[in-house]
Amino acid sequence: MVGQVSNMRKVVVSEFVSLDGVVEDPGGSEKSKHGGWTRPYWNDEVGKFKLDEIFATGALLLGRVTYQGFAAAWPSVKDEQGFADRMNNLPKHVVSTTLEKFDWNNSTRIKGNIPEEVSRLKQQPGQDILIFGSGELVRELMQHDLIDEYRLLVYPVVLGSGKRLFGDESKKTLKLVETKPFSSGVVLLRYQRAANVVNNALRR
Amino acid sequence: MNLDLIDEYWLNVNPIVLGKGKPLFKDLSNMHKLKLLGSKTYKTGVVNLHYGRAS
């Protein structure tokens, strides 16, 4: 039983979050009011964390807004460490009811019942499934208890406005599994579903 | 905060997502950059984050 549980791929949400819970436009590509708020705090430690994370990932799961932003930016990016190549090569599963074109390399659309399709993805072999951004999708999957882990990089800044990650229906008790402060003032808070093993066992 | 009169913040972050309720940071006229002074993790899953003014 334990072996079976560990064979399930995890769905991991990885976000840049301000101290007041905002996740909108951390890199500045969306040209929003506070866009680019993570940039002053980027350093090698944060870079290494993101690099290790992307190489431990087997697929990306993205909502439409985040997908379109990424698809416009990543294909033309190159870096020595291979982060961009990895982003461009990973399978991308995209949730959208309106988008028709999925041009970014290795993209597939998730149609129909989203919780069912995501559960199916979790059963497939491979490394973890990572969600970046995609607030609406995160909130929907939370309601179906499909998220196994949250990696929140908390930035030492209060933005005062902008889209937040969690919404009205997002009530959830989690289990803290790791805290890691970086020298730039960013803190990684890593949470997993409370009673993960029990939940997985019950589902079988 | 709007008057820039706060020097330090001690935030105990509890491992629960509530979804609704009154947030601490609300109706702010500006963004505020802070400086992480320390962090401490408790066995219960509470994380204490200590911030001061960014100089």
Side-chain angles (χ1 to χ4, degrees):
Chain A
M1 179 59 94
V2 170
Q4 285 181 336
V5 169
S6 64
N7 280 341
M8 284 267 277
R9 307 167 91 182
K10 282 190 294 184
V11 173
V12 176
V13 171
S14 182
E15 305 279 353
F16 300 106
V17 192
S18 74
L19 258 185
D20 51 340
V22 174
V23 293
E24 186 175 8
D25 202 9
S29 61
E30 294 165 39
K31 306 268 187 285
S32 66
K33 186 180 173 193
H34 299 299
W37 47 272
T38 59
R39 284 200 200 138
Y41 307 98
W42 187 265
N43 65 10
D44 288 350
E45 288 171 291
V46 178
K48 180 167 191 316
F49 171 77
K50 297 307 288 184
L51 192 68
D52 290 347
E53 175 177 68
I54 203 71
F55 279 97
T57 294
L60 298 178
L61 177 58
L62 302 168
R64 197 254 312 159
V65 177
T66 302
Y67 175 78
Q68 284 184 296
F70 282 8
W74 284 105
S76 59
V77 181
K78 270 275 175 194
D79 62 283
E80 279 179 16
Q81 288 86 13
F83 187 96
D85 283 349
R86 182 78 178 174
M87 284 289 283
N88 289 322
N89 290 331
L90 279 174
K92 277 131 325 234
H93 303 279
V94 190
V95 175
S96 174
T97 50
T98 54
L99 199 63
E100 296 294 335
K101 290 179 77 181
F102 299 85
D103 290 340
W104 193 14
N105 180 47
N106 217 350
S107 298
T108 354
R109 180 185 192 173
I110 291 187
K111 277 186 271 191
N113 188 311
I114 295 165
E116 274 179 23
E117 292 301 318
V118 172
S119 301
R120 218 187 308 272
L121 281 177
K122 288 179 69 158
Q123 310 280 348
Q124 292 173 1
Q127 292 170 293
D128 292 342
I129 302 161
L130 200 70
I131 303 178
F132 286 135
S134 311
E136 208 178 311
L137 174 63
V138 169
R139 292 187 287 276
E140 175 165 4
L141 295 180
M142 278 181 89
Q143 291 201 45
H144 295 278
D145 202 26
L146 282 167
I147 296 180
D148 300 287
E149 183 168 314
Y150 301 81
R151 293 178 196 150
L152 308 179
L153 284 176
V154 180
Y155 280 67
V157 58
V158 180
L159 295 177
S161 61
K163 289 184 202 161
R164 289 164 193 254
L165 176 60
F166 300 118
D168 285 353
E169 308 302 322
S170 306
K171 187 164 184 181
K172 195 75 70 184
T173 300
L174 302 174
K175 183 182 169 193
L176 181 76
V177 293
E178 187 184 357
T179 315
K180 187 177 176 185
F182 297 106
S183 59
S184 61
V186 176
V187 182
L188 165 69
L189 301 179
R190 198 158 66 84
Y191 296 94
Q192 289 177 349
R193 181 195 289 121
N196 204 357
V197 175
V198 174
N199 281 329
N200 279 339
L202 286 175
R203 209 173 294 133
R204 275 160 197 282
Chain B
M1 285 181 86
N2 285 333
L3 297 171
D4 197 27
L5 286 169
I6 298 180
D7 299 299
E8 287 188 26
Y9 302 80
W10 292 88
L11 307 176
N12 281 314
V13 181
N14 287 251
I16 180 166
V17 179
L18 294 176
K20 50 184 115 182
K22 291 182 194 168
L24 172 63
F25 300 116
K26 211 181 159 222
D27 302 326
L28 297 171
S29 47
N30 295 305
M31 76 180 264
H32 295 257
K33 286 187 177 178
L34 304 176
K35 183 181 179 183
L36 182 72
L37 300 175
S39 65
K40 190 174 172 184
T41 306
Y42 297 97
K43 267 184 274 180
T44 55
V46 173
V47 180
N48 180 270
L49 300 176
H50 181 200
Y51 296 93
R53 290 172 186 273
S55 48

